[in-house]
Amino acid sequence: MGRDWCNDASGTNPSFNFIALMGVSGAVAAFGIVSDTIHIVIGAMLIAPGFEPLLRVIFGVLDDRHSVTAGLRANAYGYLALAASAAVATPVALLVSGTTVDQLAAGYWANYWSRIEASGIATSLVAGFAGWIIVSSRMKVLGTGVMVALALIPAMALVGIGLATGLPHLMLGGASRWVAEVLCVLVSGGLIILFKRKLMYRGASD
């Protein structure tokens, strides 16, 4: 099942389209975070194909080593493109929105996505479970909802925003939140895969 899904997930390879979408999402997220406007950031989350590459890593660890390499490469290229695009877009976003760096630093959503809180981790774990169920059921149309529940996109965008504005607490906070989100997805995805395999093994033995 894992290898079949990985073949279907070829759209998450680091192709031009994949990297371009991740980059566009970073720019959109930067405009949303700078203006402290949640619906714009949600738009960025819906654009980015940033969830399935993480699941490829889990599949690779448990089933196919090639998927580990492919997943890591896609994540590295995709999220670096996202952060770089956010950094480039930030000065423009500050200019057109009339927001100062101090106002950005005090913004609600910028601070929300640069912190690690128990409620956020719990939400991300549940979203990770849901994401794997959606992907394994081949109901990818529902996968965009998972990206909205996770903070992968705004957290990495904050890395670029922090670099562009010289705000280390946003850069480091965003990086920490992103790592925490990734761990949530990897843990929840791995647990679901192992659970389903155990059920399949038990059913076969019966």
Side-chain angles (χ1 to χ4, degrees):
M1 179 176 59
R3 292 182 182 181
D4 292 339
W5 176 84
C6 288
N7 291 332
D8 291 341
S10 58
T12 62
N13 290 327
S15 63
F16 172 81
N17 289 339
F18 172 77
I19 293 173
L21 285 173
M22 293 294 283
V24 169
S25 72
V28 173
F31 276 90
I33 292 172
V34 167
S35 63
D36 213 22
T37 308
I38 183 61
H39 74 269
I40 297 177
V41 184
I42 290 174
M45 294 171 173
L46 296 175
I47 292 169
F51 179 70
E52 291 185 3
L54 295 173
L55 291 187
R56 294 190 77 175
V57 176
I58 286 293
F59 278 125
V61 169
L62 298 176
D63 194 37
D64 180 12
R65 289 186 178 181
H66 172 72
S67 292
V68 175
T69 303
L72 291 175
R73 186 167 61 247
N75 282 297
Y77 292 168
Y79 281 101
L80 283 175
L82 191 155
S85 182
V88 171
T90 295
V92 180
L94 289 169
L95 178 64
V96 299
S97 67
T99 304
T100 67
V101 173
D102 289 339
Q103 289 172 327
L104 168 62
Y108 175 81
W109 291 112
N111 283 279
Y112 175 79
W113 283 309
S114 61
R115 294 195 303 263
I116 299 175
E117 298 179 343
S119 60
I121 296 300
T123 300
S124 297
L125 283 170
V126 174
F129 283 121
W132 161 243
I133 294 170
I134 288 169
V135 169
S136 64
S137 302
R138 302 185 186 278
M139 296 185 294
K140 293 184 180 181
V141 68
L142 303 176
T144 53
V146 176
M147 288 303 294
V148 174
L150 295 168
L152 291 165
I153 303 310
M156 183 54 70
L158 280 170
V159 174
I161 291 171
L163 284 170
T165 56
L167 295 173
H169 78 282
L170 292 185
M171 180 183 67
L172 297 176
S176 299
R177 180 68 183 267
W178 185 82
V179 170
E181 296 286 313
V182 168
L183 291 176
C184 286
V185 172
L186 296 181
V187 169
S188 58
L191 288 175
I192 286 288
I193 293 172
L194 292 174
F195 178 71
K196 292 192 73 171
R197 286 186 176 181
K198 186 175 181 179
L199 287 179
M200 292 172 63
Y201 175 77
R202 181 176 296 178
S205 61
D206 293 341

